[in-house]
Amino acid sequence: MAAKPRPTVRRIELGYELRQLREQAGMTLEDVVGSGAVKGLYVTKLHRVEKGLQDLRSAGDLRALLELYGVTDDGDVEQLLGIQRDGASQDWWTPFRSTMPSGMPRFVGIETAARETWAFHPALVLGLLQTQAYARALYELAKPIEETTSEFIDKNIQVRIKRKEFLTRDEEPLRLRAVLYEPALRYVVGDTDVMREQYDEIARLASLPNVSVQVLPQTLRGYLSVHDFSILHLDDGMPTSVQVDNAWSATSVSDKQREVGRFTRKFNALTASALPPEDTPEFLQQLMREITK
């Protein structure tokens, strides 16, 4: 699988550049809107554009902003216009957007463009490592509680499997550092056949040069995060983001340095307490022997 277009990250890239240019010009959001350079522009929209939450569809609006910020070099203008065009295209997950939880489209868009992801889950096998059977069993268990439909389950499984393909794509596969809590691995989802297949899949993916999986033993005495989270590292110069799920089945994504720093410290503490990656295959074999007794 080759690398695909990355509209979400292109929107983030354009927004980041525009924020830098605005600040270099010594202007606030209110100053830009008040200048009247872009008709119909308001503070909230400009803020969303700068955060990569919304695309700036009009090339004329972008040219007007660049002129306001003092960008006159034709090469610089054309480069930013190219980024804008890429950012206005559809992401691969767009057909599934109607069934995705709040915040999930932005997270998936960033994950698609990430060069490296650090992730931890205390209760389940991490989504990027799940088999289709394990994912389906999870959704079926939650179906009467969440009142979801079979269509919802099918589409979300497709998204999960598609996300997973980025670990094995030919061009620049996603690098993954994952920490799995032992109780999550012992939680039987579906039946023993589902779990055996899941253990095999984790071992297979962990053998890839771009994937590292550590097991956090339940006997640990150190720090334990009670929430799952992912830290998404983009290309140099782009903001790192952190993603967390909440109890309302929504996904929150933030690139605030304080939050990224806090969750980075969390992940470092977890990896320090976890077993080394080379112990993971034997640990999974032991779980498989136990589950088949």
Side-chain angles (χ1 to χ4, degrees):
M1 176 184 174
K4 300 295 184 182
R6 306 168 179 184
T8 297
V9 81
R10 298 298 267 177
R11 287 192 289 272
I12 294 172
E13 183 179 1
L14 179 61
Y16 181 77
E17 291 289 344
L18 289 175
R19 184 167 73 247
Q20 294 287 101
L21 290 171
R22 174 177 59 77
E23 291 174 350
Q24 289 172 14
M27 303 183 73
T28 66
L29 294 171
E30 290 77 11
D31 291 337
V32 175
V33 172
S35 72
V38 179
K39 294 181 180 179
L41 185 66
Y42 46 92
V43 171
T44 303
K45 179 179 178 179
L46 182 56
H47 175 71
R48 288 179 60 81
V49 167
E50 290 188 354
K51 297 292 288 184
L53 296 169
Q54 183 173 344
D55 60 342
L56 193 65
R57 290 186 175 274
S58 169
D61 288 351
L62 177 56
R63 288 182 182 277
L65 282 177
L66 295 179
E67 183 177 351
L68 181 65
Y69 299 155
V71 180
T72 57
D73 182 83
D74 290 341
D76 292 340
V77 172
E78 287 303 317
Q79 180 181 9
L80 291 170
L81 284 170
I83 295 174
Q84 180 203 32
R85 285 191 294 272
D86 290 344
S89 60
Q90 286 194 340
D91 288 279
W92 66 262
W93 43 259
T94 300
F96 306 98
R97 185 167 192 150
S98 62
T99 59
M100 296 171 77
S102 175
M104 189 69 176
R106 177 168 170 80
F107 163 61
V108 174
I110 297 174
E111 181 187 67
T112 297
R115 57 179 171 80
E116 185 166 355
T117 293
W118 300 352
F120 169 73
H121 207 303
L124 303 170
V125 171
L126 186 69
L128 284 173
L129 301 175
Q130 289 177 12
T131 64
Q132 185 169 336
Y134 182 97
R136 182 170 295 279
L138 280 178
Y139 280 116
E140 292 292 346
L141 283 170
K143 186 175 182 179
I145 298 168
E146 302 293 342
E147 297 183 333
T148 51
T149 64
S150 296
E151 180 186 11
F152 173 91
I153 293 174
D154 290 342
K155 286 189 174 181
N156 276 276
I157 289 175
Q158 290 179 54
V159 170
R160 187 155 298 187
I161 298 305
K162 185 74 173 180
R163 289 171 54 208
K164 185 176 169 183
E165 290 177 0
F166 284 85
L167 293 173
T168 56
R169 64 189 178 191
D170 296 329
E171 185 181 337
E172 299 179 356
L174 174 67
R175 297 199 298 270
L176 173 66
R177 294 179 61 196
V179 178
L180 303 178
Y181 192 30
E182 181 180 346
L185 291 170
R186 291 186 178 277
Y187 170 40
V188 178
V189 174
D191 54 29
T192 55
D193 288 339
V194 171
M195 294 308 297
R196 280 198 297 267
E197 181 188 32
Q198 182 60 75
Y199 295 149
D200 280 339
E201 180 67 352
I202 295 172
R204 181 185 75 85
L205 293 171
S207 69
L208 299 175
N210 56 301
V211 178
S212 170
V213 178
Q214 292 180 257
V215 176
L216 187 69
Q218 61 187 17
T219 55
L220 92 155
R221 302 292 182 182
Y223 174 77
L224 175 64
S225 173
V226 297
H227 299 290
D228 63 289
F229 63 89
S230 297
I231 303 171
L232 309 167
H233 299 270
L234 300 176
D235 293 331
D236 292 340
M238 296 290 290
T240 296
S241 297
V242 62
Q243 172 269 333
V244 180
D245 293 326
N246 65 34
W248 286 269
S249 300
T251 294
S252 298
V253 181
S254 174
D255 61 3
K256 294 181 179 178
Q257 290 186 358
R258 181 176 180 181
E259 294 302 316
V260 172
R262 183 161 70 94
F263 279 92
T264 298
R265 292 191 296 274
K266 284 174 178 276
F267 189 79
N268 289 337
L270 292 168
T271 55
S273 297
L275 301 175
E278 55 267 26
D279 288 358
T280 298
E282 176 53 34
F283 193 95
L284 293 171
Q285 285 296 321
Q286 179 59 37
L287 291 179
M288 196 172 300
R289 287 191 291 268
E290 292 178 12
I291 203 172
T292 55
K293 286 182 180 179

